[in-house]
Amino acid sequence: SQKIEQNSEALNIQEGKTATLTCNYTNYSPAYLQWYRQDPGRGPVFLLLIRENEKEKRKERLKVTFDTTLKQSLFHITASQPADSATYLCALDMRTAGTALIFGKGTTLSVSS
Amino acid sequence: ETGVTQTPRHLVMGMTNKKSLKCEQHLGHNAMYWYKQSAKKPLELMFVYSLEERVENNSVPSRFSPECPNSSHLFLHLHTLQPEDSALYLCASSQEKREGGEQFFGPGTRLTVL
């Protein structure tokens, strides 16, 4: 069966540390992988997209890696801050009609000061 | 704000009611989506309108009926819902035929079915 797993439901880290979130998938071959942030009671907000032929993508304190052999993406937030506390969702972009995204359940990150 | 608005933000309805959710995007996108988000479950894609063509998820019950009168507006008509349909309903839009296809989400409608 097809599955997307994000390593844990919750991740707690201290301010200043690097948060690493994992997204694993089976039985898919996505053309792109996207990461979103969702705050309570709000819609997801797009953060980063990485293509199947890219190994790594960076945006400010964010870094995403994509290993199509391992079928895994890692999402890193360096120098984390309490304001980074949110739920982070990975989504597979299969490039089908309408760019239907397939989402994982998300990992809720809590950064304590 | 993301450029995608949804109304109402909160809705409480009985199982025999008929109501509609509205979504409007101000981004000039040509694809719109309805998602359902329940607690502890991933976002579930319900319906897609891409280049004015409807792509349907066959597992969505017929008590949910989408309507897309033009590329900027999307509706979700609801009737005879069940309590398990209580969830956050999210609308999103994207620009198709452009590399990437990141989606822009509205704030959602929190639906409670009594």
Side-chain angles (χ1 to χ4, degrees), chain A residues 4 6 9 32 34 36 38-49 51 87 89 91 93 95-106, chain B residues 1-2 9 31 33 35 37 40-43 45 48-50 55 88 90 94-108 110:
Chain A
I4 304 172
Q6 293 192 240
E9 276 191 34
Y32 304 87
Q34 303 184 19
Y36 288 78
Q38 187 173 23
D39 291 285
R42 312 282 299 264
V45 175
F46 172 77
L47 295 175
L48 278 170
L49 174 149
R51 299 175 183 79
T87 296
L89 310 173
D93 181 346
R95 291 282 96 189
T96 55
T99 314
L101 292 178
I102 304 168
F103 282 87
K105 286 186 186 179
Chain B
E1 298 303 325
T2 63
R9 293 294 308 276
Y33 315 79
Y35 288 90
Q37 188 173 36
K40 306 292 185 185
K41 294 175 77 172
L43 271 77
L45 179 66
V48 181
Y49 280 85
S50 174
V55 178
L88 182 67
L90 291 159
S94 70
Q95 182 62 26
E96 286 309 287
K97 305 304 181 189
R98 191 183 82 180
E99 193 179 64
E102 64 265 29
Q103 294 186 7
F104 294 78
F105 286 82
R110 173 66 62 185

Short mmCIF file of all heavy atoms in Angstrom, two decimals, chain A residues 4 6 9 32 34 36 38-49 51 87 89 91 93 95-106, chain B residues 1-2 9 31 33 35 37 40-43 45 48-50 55 88 90 94-108 110:
data_model
loop_
_atom_site.label_atom_id
_atom_site.label_comp_id
_atom_site.label_asym_id
_atom_site.label_seq_id
_atom_site.Cartn_x
_atom_site.Cartn_y
_atom_site.Cartn_z
N ILE A 4 2.74 7.62 3.51
CA ILE A 4 3.66 8.72 3.84
C ILE A 4 3.74 8.77 5.34
O ILE A 4 2.70 8.85 6.00
CB ILE A 4 3.14 10.08 3.34
CG1 ILE A 4 2.88 10.05 1.85
CG2 ILE A 4 4.16 11.17 3.66
CD1 ILE A 4 2.19 11.30 1.38
N GLN A 6 5.56 10.73 8.70
CA GLN A 6 6.42 11.76 9.28
C GLN A 6 6.84 11.25 10.64
O GLN A 6 6.00 10.84 11.45
CB GLN A 6 5.68 13.09 9.35
CG GLN A 6 5.41 13.61 7.96
CD GLN A 6 4.96 15.06 7.93
OE1 GLN A 6 3.88 15.36 7.47
NE2 GLN A 6 5.80 15.96 8.42
N GLU A 9 4.79 12.36 15.84
CA GLU A 9 3.69 13.34 15.94
C GLU A 9 4.17 14.63 16.58
O GLU A 9 3.70 15.70 16.23
CB GLU A 9 2.55 12.77 16.79
CG GLU A 9 1.61 11.88 16.00
CD GLU A 9 0.36 11.57 16.79
OE1 GLU A 9 -0.08 12.44 17.57
OE2 GLU A 9 -0.16 10.46 16.63
N TYR A 32 8.03 16.07 -7.19
CA TYR A 32 8.41 17.13 -6.26
C TYR A 32 7.98 16.73 -4.86
O TYR A 32 7.07 15.92 -4.68
CB TYR A 32 7.70 18.45 -6.60
CG TYR A 32 7.91 18.95 -8.00
CD1 TYR A 32 7.08 18.54 -9.03
CD2 TYR A 32 8.92 19.88 -8.29
CE1 TYR A 32 7.26 19.00 -10.32
CE2 TYR A 32 9.09 20.35 -9.57
CZ TYR A 32 8.26 19.91 -10.58
OH TYR A 32 8.44 20.37 -11.85
N GLN A 34 7.03 18.83 -1.21
CA GLN A 34 6.82 20.16 -0.65
C GLN A 34 6.70 20.07 0.87
O GLN A 34 6.25 19.05 1.41
CB GLN A 34 5.53 20.78 -1.21
CG GLN A 34 5.52 20.87 -2.74
CD GLN A 34 4.29 21.57 -3.26
OE1 GLN A 34 3.60 22.28 -2.54
NE2 GLN A 34 4.01 21.40 -4.55
N TYR A 36 5.11 22.30 4.21
CA TYR A 36 4.21 23.36 4.63
C TYR A 36 4.27 23.50 6.15
O TYR A 36 4.56 22.54 6.87
CB TYR A 36 2.76 23.02 4.23
CG TYR A 36 2.48 23.12 2.75
CD1 TYR A 36 2.87 22.10 1.89
CD2 TYR A 36 1.83 24.22 2.22
CE1 TYR A 36 2.62 22.19 0.53
CE2 TYR A 36 1.57 24.32 0.86
CZ TYR A 36 1.97 23.30 0.03
OH TYR A 36 1.73 23.39 -1.33
N GLN A 38 1.78 24.70 9.40
CA GLN A 38 0.40 24.98 9.77
C GLN A 38 0.33 25.36 11.24
O GLN A 38 0.78 24.62 12.11
CB GLN A 38 -0.52 23.78 9.50
CG GLN A 38 -2.00 24.09 9.72
CD GLN A 38 -2.91 22.97 9.30
OE1 GLN A 38 -2.50 21.81 9.23
NE2 GLN A 38 -4.18 23.28 9.01
N ASP A 39 -0.25 26.52 11.50
CA ASP A 39 -0.50 26.97 12.86
C ASP A 39 -1.93 26.59 13.25
O ASP A 39 -2.80 26.43 12.38
CB ASP A 39 -0.29 28.48 12.97
CG ASP A 39 1.18 28.84 12.80
OD1 ASP A 39 1.94 28.60 13.76
OD2 ASP A 39 1.59 29.31 11.73
N PRO A 40 -2.19 26.45 14.56
CA PRO A 40 -3.53 26.00 15.00
C PRO A 40 -4.64 26.87 14.43
O PRO A 40 -4.58 28.09 14.47
CB PRO A 40 -3.44 26.11 16.53
CG PRO A 40 -1.99 25.96 16.83
CD PRO A 40 -1.26 26.62 15.69
N GLY A 41 -5.67 26.23 13.87
CA GLY A 41 -6.83 26.94 13.35
C GLY A 41 -6.59 27.69 12.05
O GLY A 41 -7.44 28.47 11.64
N ARG A 42 -5.44 27.46 11.42
CA ARG A 42 -5.13 28.17 10.17
C ARG A 42 -4.86 27.15 9.06
O ARG A 42 -4.64 25.97 9.30
CB ARG A 42 -3.87 29.03 10.35
CG ARG A 42 -3.84 29.90 11.59
CD ARG A 42 -4.65 31.14 11.46
NE ARG A 42 -4.25 32.05 10.41
CZ ARG A 42 -3.46 33.09 10.60
NH1 ARG A 42 -2.94 33.34 11.79
NH2 ARG A 42 -3.19 33.91 9.60
N GLY A 43 -4.87 27.65 7.83
CA GLY A 43 -4.51 26.79 6.71
C GLY A 43 -3.00 26.63 6.60
O GLY A 43 -2.24 27.46 7.10
N PRO A 44 -2.54 25.57 5.95
CA PRO A 44 -1.10 25.38 5.75
C PRO A 44 -0.51 26.50 4.89
O PRO A 44 -1.18 27.05 4.02
CB PRO A 44 -1.01 24.04 5.01
CG PRO A 44 -2.30 23.35 5.33
CD PRO A 44 -3.31 24.44 5.45
N VAL A 45 0.76 26.81 5.17
CA VAL A 45 1.49 27.82 4.40
C VAL A 45 2.70 27.16 3.76
O VAL A 45 3.48 26.49 4.45
CB VAL A 45 1.92 28.98 5.31
CG1 VAL A 45 2.79 29.98 4.53
CG2 VAL A 45 0.70 29.70 5.89
N PHE A 46 2.86 27.35 2.47
CA PHE A 46 3.97 26.75 1.72
C PHE A 46 5.31 27.31 2.21
O PHE A 46 5.45 28.52 2.42
CB PHE A 46 3.79 27.06 0.23
CG PHE A 46 4.97 26.67 -0.62
CD1 PHE A 46 5.18 25.36 -0.96
CD2 PHE A 46 5.87 27.63 -1.04
CE1 PHE A 46 6.27 25.00 -1.74
CE2 PHE A 46 6.96 27.29 -1.81
CZ PHE A 46 7.16 25.97 -2.17
N LEU A 47 6.28 26.38 2.38
CA LEU A 47 7.63 26.78 2.80
C LEU A 47 8.66 26.54 1.71
O LEU A 47 9.37 27.46 1.29
CB LEU A 47 8.04 26.01 4.06
CG LEU A 47 7.23 26.29 5.32
CD1 LEU A 47 7.68 25.36 6.44
CD2 LEU A 47 7.36 27.75 5.76
N LEU A 48 8.78 25.30 1.29
CA LEU A 48 9.85 24.93 0.36
C LEU A 48 9.38 23.82 -0.55
O LEU A 48 8.57 22.97 -0.17
CB LEU A 48 11.09 24.43 1.11
CG LEU A 48 12.06 25.45 1.69
CD1 LEU A 48 13.06 24.75 2.60
CD2 LEU A 48 12.79 26.19 0.58
N LEU A 49 9.95 23.79 -1.75
CA LEU A 49 9.72 22.72 -2.70
C LEU A 49 11.06 22.21 -3.17
O LEU A 49 12.00 22.99 -3.38
CB LEU A 49 8.92 23.26 -3.89
CG LEU A 49 8.66 22.35 -5.07
CD1 LEU A 49 7.34 22.71 -5.72
CD2 LEU A 49 9.79 22.43 -6.11
N ARG A 51 12.83 19.35 -6.02
CA ARG A 51 12.57 18.49 -7.16
C ARG A 51 13.26 17.14 -6.99
O ARG A 51 14.24 17.02 -6.26
CB ARG A 51 13.06 19.17 -8.45
CG ARG A 51 12.37 20.47 -8.75
CD ARG A 51 12.98 21.16 -9.97
NE ARG A 51 12.36 22.44 -10.22
CZ ARG A 51 12.64 23.55 -9.55
NH1 ARG A 51 13.55 23.54 -8.60
NH2 ARG A 51 12.02 24.68 -9.85
N THR A 87 2.94 22.98 13.36
CA THR A 87 2.92 21.65 12.75
C THR A 87 3.47 21.76 11.34
O THR A 87 3.10 22.67 10.59
CB THR A 87 1.49 21.08 12.72
OG1 THR A 87 1.03 20.90 14.06
CG2 THR A 87 1.46 19.73 12.00
N LEU A 89 4.11 19.91 7.69
CA LEU A 89 3.54 18.87 6.83
C LEU A 89 4.42 18.67 5.61
O LEU A 89 4.86 19.64 4.99
CB LEU A 89 2.15 19.29 6.34
CG LEU A 89 1.13 19.78 7.37
CD1 LEU A 89 -0.11 20.31 6.67
CD2 LEU A 89 0.75 18.65 8.30
N ALA A 91 4.41 16.97 1.75
CA ALA A 91 3.42 16.64 0.74
C ALA A 91 4.12 16.19 -0.53
O ALA A 91 5.09 16.82 -0.97
CB ALA A 91 2.53 17.85 0.45
N ASP A 93 4.10 15.66 -4.49
CA ASP A 93 3.49 16.23 -5.69
C ASP A 93 3.69 15.23 -6.81
O ASP A 93 4.81 15.03 -7.27
CB ASP A 93 4.17 17.56 -6.00
CG ASP A 93 3.59 18.25 -7.21
OD1 ASP A 93 2.86 17.62 -7.98
OD2 ASP A 93 3.90 19.44 -7.40
N ARG A 95 2.40 15.33 -9.77
CA ARG A 95 2.28 15.91 -11.12
C ARG A 95 1.13 15.32 -11.90
O ARG A 95 1.19 15.17 -13.11
CB ARG A 95 3.58 15.71 -11.93
CG ARG A 95 4.74 16.51 -11.44
CD ARG A 95 4.64 17.94 -11.87
NE ARG A 95 4.07 18.80 -10.87
CZ ARG A 95 3.73 20.06 -11.09
NH1 ARG A 95 3.89 20.60 -12.26
NH2 ARG A 95 3.22 20.78 -10.12
N THR A 96 0.08 14.97 -11.19
CA THR A 96 -1.13 14.52 -11.89
C THR A 96 -2.03 15.72 -12.10
O THR A 96 -1.68 16.83 -11.72
CB THR A 96 -1.87 13.45 -11.06
OG1 THR A 96 -2.13 14.00 -9.77
CG2 THR A 96 -1.00 12.22 -10.90
N ALA A 97 -3.17 15.50 -12.71
CA ALA A 97 -4.07 16.60 -13.01
C ALA A 97 -4.38 17.40 -11.75
O ALA A 97 -4.73 16.85 -10.73
CB ALA A 97 -5.37 16.06 -13.60
N GLY A 98 -4.23 18.70 -11.83
CA GLY A 98 -4.55 19.55 -10.69
C GLY A 98 -3.50 19.53 -9.60
O GLY A 98 -3.76 20.05 -8.53
N THR A 99 -2.34 18.96 -9.89
CA THR A 99 -1.29 18.91 -8.86
C THR A 99 -1.87 18.44 -7.54
O THR A 99 -1.77 19.11 -6.52
CB THR A 99 -0.61 20.29 -8.66
OG1 THR A 99 -0.32 20.86 -9.91
CG2 THR A 99 0.68 20.13 -7.88
N ALA A 100 -2.48 17.30 -7.55
CA ALA A 100 -3.04 16.77 -6.32
C ALA A 100 -1.90 16.41 -5.39
O ALA A 100 -1.06 15.58 -5.70
CB ALA A 100 -3.88 15.53 -6.63
N LEU A 101 -1.86 17.06 -4.24
CA LEU A 101 -0.83 16.79 -3.24
C LEU A 101 -1.30 15.70 -2.29
O LEU A 101 -2.47 15.66 -1.92
CB LEU A 101 -0.52 18.06 -2.44
CG LEU A 101 0.15 19.20 -3.19
CD1 LEU A 101 0.34 20.40 -2.27
CD2 LEU A 101 1.48 18.77 -3.77
N ILE A 102 -0.36 14.85 -1.91
CA ILE A 102 -0.65 13.82 -0.92
C ILE A 102 0.12 14.18 0.33
O ILE A 102 1.36 14.24 0.31
CB ILE A 102 -0.22 12.44 -1.44
CG1 ILE A 102 -0.90 12.16 -2.79
CG2 ILE A 102 -0.58 11.35 -0.43
CD1 ILE A 102 -0.34 10.97 -3.52
N PHE A 103 -0.59 14.44 1.41
CA PHE A 103 0.01 14.96 2.63
C PHE A 103 0.29 13.87 3.65
O PHE A 103 -0.44 12.88 3.75
CB PHE A 103 -0.93 15.98 3.28
CG PHE A 103 -0.91 17.33 2.63
CD1 PHE A 103 -1.73 17.61 1.56
CD2 PHE A 103 -0.06 18.32 3.09
CE1 PHE A 103 -1.71 18.86 0.95
CE2 PHE A 103 -0.03 19.58 2.51
CZ PHE A 103 -0.86 19.84 1.44
N GLY A 104 1.34 14.08 4.44
CA GLY A 104 1.56 13.30 5.65
C GLY A 104 0.73 13.90 6.79
O GLY A 104 0.11 14.95 6.64
N LYS A 105 0.74 13.21 7.94
CA LYS A 105 -0.05 13.68 9.09
C LYS A 105 0.56 14.91 9.74
O LYS A 105 -0.12 15.65 10.43
CB LYS A 105 -0.16 12.59 10.15
CG LYS A 105 -1.08 11.45 9.80
CD LYS A 105 -1.20 10.52 11.00
CE LYS A 105 -2.01 9.29 10.65
NZ LYS A 105 -2.12 8.37 11.81
N GLY A 106 1.85 15.11 9.55
CA GLY A 106 2.51 16.26 10.16
C GLY A 106 3.25 15.93 11.43
O GLY A 106 2.97 14.93 12.10
N GLU B 1 -1.91 37.65 4.57
CA GLU B 1 -2.91 36.70 4.07
C GLU B 1 -2.45 36.07 2.77
O GLU B 1 -1.63 36.61 2.05
CB GLU B 1 -4.25 37.41 3.87
CG GLU B 1 -4.87 38.00 5.13
CD GLU B 1 -5.07 36.96 6.23
OE1 GLU B 1 -5.38 35.80 5.90
OE2 GLU B 1 -4.90 37.31 7.40
N THR B 2 -3.02 34.91 2.47
CA THR B 2 -2.54 34.14 1.33
C THR B 2 -3.21 34.51 0.02
O THR B 2 -2.79 34.04 -1.03
CB THR B 2 -2.80 32.64 1.57
OG1 THR B 2 -4.22 32.43 1.67
CG2 THR B 2 -2.12 32.16 2.84
N ARG B 9 -16.22 31.18 8.51
CA ARG B 9 -15.07 30.61 9.21
C ARG B 9 -15.51 29.50 10.15
O ARG B 9 -14.75 28.56 10.39
CB ARG B 9 -14.34 31.69 9.99
CG ARG B 9 -13.66 32.75 9.11
CD ARG B 9 -12.52 32.16 8.29
NE ARG B 9 -11.58 31.43 9.12
CZ ARG B 9 -10.59 31.98 9.78
NH1 ARG B 9 -10.39 33.29 9.72
NH2 ARG B 9 -9.77 31.24 10.51
N ALA B 31 -6.35 26.58 -10.81
CA ALA B 31 -6.74 25.31 -10.18
C ALA B 31 -7.19 25.60 -8.75
O ALA B 31 -6.58 26.42 -8.06
CB ALA B 31 -5.59 24.31 -10.18
N TYR B 33 -9.01 23.65 -5.04
CA TYR B 33 -9.13 22.37 -4.36
C TYR B 33 -9.97 22.51 -3.09
O TYR B 33 -9.93 23.54 -2.42
CB TYR B 33 -7.74 21.88 -3.92
CG TYR B 33 -6.66 21.99 -4.96
CD1 TYR B 33 -6.04 23.21 -5.21
CD2 TYR B 33 -6.26 20.88 -5.69
CE1 TYR B 33 -5.05 23.33 -6.17
CE2 TYR B 33 -5.27 20.99 -6.65
CZ TYR B 33 -4.67 22.21 -6.89
OH TYR B 33 -3.70 22.32 -7.84
N TYR B 35 -10.09 20.40 0.58
CA TYR B 35 -9.50 19.39 1.45
C TYR B 35 -10.33 19.29 2.72
O TYR B 35 -10.89 20.27 3.18
CB TYR B 35 -8.07 19.77 1.87
CG TYR B 35 -7.02 19.68 0.80
CD1 TYR B 35 -6.74 20.77 -0.02
CD2 TYR B 35 -6.26 18.52 0.63
CE1 TYR B 35 -5.75 20.70 -0.98
CE2 TYR B 35 -5.26 18.45 -0.32
CZ TYR B 35 -5.01 19.54 -1.13
OH TYR B 35 -4.02 19.47 -2.08
N GLN B 37 -9.75 18.21 6.77
CA GLN B 37 -8.74 17.93 7.78
C GLN B 37 -9.41 17.57 9.09
O GLN B 37 -10.05 18.41 9.73
CB GLN B 37 -7.80 19.14 7.98
CG GLN B 37 -6.61 18.80 8.87
CD GLN B 37 -5.60 19.93 8.95
OE1 GLN B 37 -5.96 21.11 8.94
NE2 GLN B 37 -4.31 19.58 9.00
N LYS B 40 -5.87 14.26 13.94
CA LYS B 40 -4.99 13.08 13.88
C LYS B 40 -4.96 12.39 12.53
O LYS B 40 -4.51 11.25 12.43
CB LYS B 40 -5.41 12.04 14.96
CG LYS B 40 -5.48 12.58 16.37
CD LYS B 40 -4.12 12.95 16.90
CE LYS B 40 -4.22 13.37 18.37
NZ LYS B 40 -2.92 13.86 18.89
N LYS B 41 -5.48 13.04 11.51
CA LYS B 41 -5.47 12.45 10.16
C LYS B 41 -4.83 13.43 9.19
O LYS B 41 -4.89 14.65 9.39
CB LYS B 41 -6.88 12.11 9.71
CG LYS B 41 -7.54 11.01 10.54
CD LYS B 41 -8.97 10.80 10.11
CE LYS B 41 -9.09 10.02 8.84
NZ LYS B 41 -10.49 9.65 8.53
N PRO B 42 -4.22 12.93 8.11
CA PRO B 42 -3.65 13.86 7.12
C PRO B 42 -4.75 14.57 6.35
O PRO B 42 -5.89 14.10 6.29
CB PRO B 42 -2.83 12.94 6.21
CG PRO B 42 -3.38 11.58 6.41
CD PRO B 42 -3.95 11.53 7.78
N LEU B 43 -4.38 15.68 5.74
CA LEU B 43 -5.31 16.37 4.85
C LEU B 43 -5.78 15.39 3.77
O LEU B 43 -4.97 14.70 3.15
CB LEU B 43 -4.66 17.56 4.15
CG LEU B 43 -4.71 18.90 4.85
CD1 LEU B 43 -3.70 18.96 5.97
CD2 LEU B 43 -4.45 20.02 3.84
N LEU B 45 -7.64 15.08 0.22
CA LEU B 45 -8.12 15.80 -0.95
C LEU B 45 -9.52 15.31 -1.29
O LEU B 45 -9.77 14.11 -1.40
CB LEU B 45 -7.18 15.55 -2.13
CG LEU B 45 -7.56 16.21 -3.44
CD1 LEU B 45 -7.47 17.72 -3.33
CD2 LEU B 45 -6.66 15.71 -4.57
N VAL B 48 -10.89 18.51 -6.99
CA VAL B 48 -9.95 19.38 -7.70
C VAL B 48 -10.65 19.94 -8.93
O VAL B 48 -11.33 19.19 -9.65
CB VAL B 48 -8.71 18.59 -8.18
CG1 VAL B 48 -7.74 19.50 -8.91
CG2 VAL B 48 -8.03 17.89 -7.03
N TYR B 49 -10.49 21.22 -9.18
CA TYR B 49 -10.88 21.81 -10.45
C TYR B 49 -9.60 22.36 -11.07
O TYR B 49 -8.96 23.25 -10.52
CB TYR B 49 -11.90 22.93 -10.26
CG TYR B 49 -13.31 22.43 -10.08
CD1 TYR B 49 -13.77 22.04 -8.83
CD2 TYR B 49 -14.17 22.32 -11.16
CE1 TYR B 49 -15.05 21.56 -8.67
CE2 TYR B 49 -15.46 21.84 -11.01
CZ TYR B 49 -15.89 21.46 -9.75
OH TYR B 49 -17.17 20.99 -9.59
N SER B 50 -9.23 21.82 -12.21
CA SER B 50 -8.01 22.22 -12.88
C SER B 50 -8.33 22.64 -14.30
O SER B 50 -8.89 21.84 -15.05
CB SER B 50 -7.01 21.07 -12.90
OG SER B 50 -5.87 21.39 -13.65
N VAL B 55 -11.80 17.08 -11.36
CA VAL B 55 -11.19 15.79 -11.09
C VAL B 55 -11.74 15.35 -9.74
O VAL B 55 -11.55 16.02 -8.74
CB VAL B 55 -9.65 15.88 -11.02
CG1 VAL B 55 -9.05 14.53 -10.68
CG2 VAL B 55 -9.11 16.39 -12.33
N LEU B 88 -12.22 20.48 9.75
CA LEU B 88 -11.80 21.75 9.15
C LEU B 88 -11.77 21.54 7.63
O LEU B 88 -11.10 20.63 7.15
CB LEU B 88 -10.43 22.16 9.66
CG LEU B 88 -9.86 23.49 9.16
CD1 LEU B 88 -10.68 24.66 9.70
CD2 LEU B 88 -8.40 23.64 9.55
N LEU B 90 -10.71 22.98 4.10
CA LEU B 90 -9.75 23.93 3.57
C LEU B 90 -9.87 24.02 2.05
O LEU B 90 -9.98 23.01 1.36
CB LEU B 90 -8.32 23.49 3.92
CG LEU B 90 -7.94 23.59 5.39
CD1 LEU B 90 -6.76 22.70 5.70
CD2 LEU B 90 -7.63 25.03 5.76
N SER B 94 -3.84 26.96 -6.93
CA SER B 94 -2.47 26.92 -7.45
C SER B 94 -2.51 27.29 -8.92
O SER B 94 -3.58 27.32 -9.55
CB SER B 94 -1.84 25.54 -7.28
OG SER B 94 -2.44 24.59 -8.14
N GLN B 95 -1.34 27.57 -9.46
CA GLN B 95 -1.22 27.87 -10.87
C GLN B 95 -0.70 26.62 -11.58
O GLN B 95 0.44 26.20 -11.32
CB GLN B 95 -0.28 29.05 -11.10
CG GLN B 95 -0.13 29.45 -12.56
CD GLN B 95 -1.44 29.90 -13.17
OE1 GLN B 95 -2.35 30.38 -12.48
NE2 GLN B 95 -1.57 29.72 -14.47
N GLU B 96 -1.50 26.03 -12.38
CA GLU B 96 -1.10 24.85 -13.11
C GLU B 96 -0.23 25.20 -14.29
O GLU B 96 -0.17 26.34 -14.71
CB GLU B 96 -2.32 24.10 -13.60
CG GLU B 96 -3.02 23.37 -12.47
CD GLU B 96 -2.07 22.52 -11.67
OE1 GLU B 96 -1.63 21.48 -12.17
OE2 GLU B 96 -1.73 22.93 -10.54
N LYS B 97 0.46 24.22 -14.83
CA LYS B 97 1.33 24.36 -16.01
C LYS B 97 2.52 25.26 -15.70
O LYS B 97 3.11 25.83 -16.60
CB LYS B 97 0.57 24.92 -17.22
CG LYS B 97 -0.64 24.12 -17.59
CD LYS B 97 -0.32 22.66 -17.85
CE LYS B 97 -1.56 21.89 -18.25
NZ LYS B 97 -1.31 20.44 -18.30
N ARG B 98 2.82 25.40 -14.42
CA ARG B 98 4.02 26.13 -14.04
C ARG B 98 4.78 25.23 -13.08
O ARG B 98 4.20 24.62 -12.20
CB ARG B 98 3.68 27.45 -13.36
CG ARG B 98 4.88 28.37 -13.17
CD ARG B 98 4.49 29.63 -12.42
NE ARG B 98 4.45 29.41 -10.98
CZ ARG B 98 4.13 30.35 -10.11
NH1 ARG B 98 3.81 31.55 -10.52
NH2 ARG B 98 4.11 30.10 -8.83
N GLU B 99 6.07 25.18 -13.24
CA GLU B 99 6.87 24.28 -12.42
C GLU B 99 6.68 24.60 -10.95
O GLU B 99 6.72 25.74 -10.54
CB GLU B 99 8.34 24.42 -12.80
CG GLU B 99 9.21 23.32 -12.22
CD GLU B 99 10.64 23.50 -12.64
OE1 GLU B 99 11.24 24.50 -12.24
OE2 GLU B 99 11.14 22.64 -13.37
N GLY B 100 6.46 23.58 -10.16
CA GLY B 100 6.30 23.80 -8.73
C GLY B 100 4.90 23.49 -8.28
O GLY B 100 4.67 22.46 -7.67
N GLY B 101 3.97 24.35 -8.58
CA GLY B 101 2.59 24.09 -8.22
C GLY B 101 2.30 24.17 -6.75
O GLY B 101 1.41 23.48 -6.26
N GLU B 102 3.05 25.02 -6.02
CA GLU B 102 2.74 25.15 -4.59
C GLU B 102 1.32 25.67 -4.44
O GLU B 102 0.83 26.46 -5.25
CB GLU B 102 3.74 26.07 -3.88
CG GLU B 102 3.74 27.50 -4.34
CD GLU B 102 4.79 27.77 -5.39
OE1 GLU B 102 5.12 26.85 -6.16
OE2 GLU B 102 5.24 28.93 -5.47
N GLN B 103 0.69 25.22 -3.39
CA GLN B 103 -0.71 25.58 -3.16
C GLN B 103 -0.82 26.64 -2.08
O GLN B 103 -0.06 26.66 -1.11
CB GLN B 103 -1.50 24.33 -2.79
CG GLN B 103 -1.56 23.34 -3.95
CD GLN B 103 -2.45 22.15 -3.70
OE1 GLN B 103 -3.16 22.09 -2.70
NE2 GLN B 103 -2.43 21.21 -4.62
N PHE B 104 -1.80 27.50 -2.28
CA PHE B 104 -2.08 28.56 -1.34
C PHE B 104 -3.42 28.25 -0.68
O PHE B 104 -4.44 28.09 -1.37
CB PHE B 104 -2.14 29.91 -2.07
CG PHE B 104 -0.81 30.33 -2.64
CD1 PHE B 104 -0.33 29.77 -3.81
CD2 PHE B 104 -0.03 31.26 -1.98
CE1 PHE B 104 0.90 30.13 -4.34
CE2 PHE B 104 1.20 31.64 -2.50
CZ PHE B 104 1.67 31.08 -3.68
N PHE B 105 -3.42 28.14 0.63
CA PHE B 105 -4.60 27.71 1.36
C PHE B 105 -5.33 28.90 1.98
O PHE B 105 -4.72 29.88 2.40
CB PHE B 105 -4.20 26.75 2.49
CG PHE B 105 -3.84 25.38 2.02
CD1 PHE B 105 -2.58 25.11 1.53
CD2 PHE B 105 -4.78 24.35 2.06
CE1 PHE B 105 -2.24 23.83 1.08
CE2 PHE B 105 -4.45 23.07 1.62
CZ PHE B 105 -3.18 22.81 1.14
N GLY B 106 -6.64 28.75 2.06
CA GLY B 106 -7.43 29.68 2.85
C GLY B 106 -7.37 29.31 4.31
O GLY B 106 -6.75 28.31 4.69
N PRO B 107 -8.03 30.10 5.17
CA PRO B 107 -7.98 29.85 6.61
C PRO B 107 -8.85 28.68 7.06
O PRO B 107 -8.70 28.21 8.19
CB PRO B 107 -8.49 31.16 7.21
CG PRO B 107 -9.38 31.72 6.15
CD PRO B 107 -8.77 31.32 4.85
N GLY B 108 -9.75 28.22 6.18
CA GLY B 108 -10.57 27.08 6.52
C GLY B 108 -11.92 27.45 7.11
O GLY B 108 -12.12 28.56 7.62
N ARG B 110 -14.39 25.81 9.97
CA ARG B 110 -14.54 24.79 11.02
C ARG B 110 -16.01 24.38 11.04
O ARG B 110 -16.86 25.16 11.44
CB ARG B 110 -14.11 25.36 12.36
CG ARG B 110 -14.37 24.43 13.55
CD ARG B 110 -13.55 23.18 13.51
NE ARG B 110 -12.12 23.42 13.58
CZ ARG B 110 -11.20 22.47 13.46
NH1 ARG B 110 -11.54 21.22 13.25
NH2 ARG B 110 -9.91 22.78 13.54
#
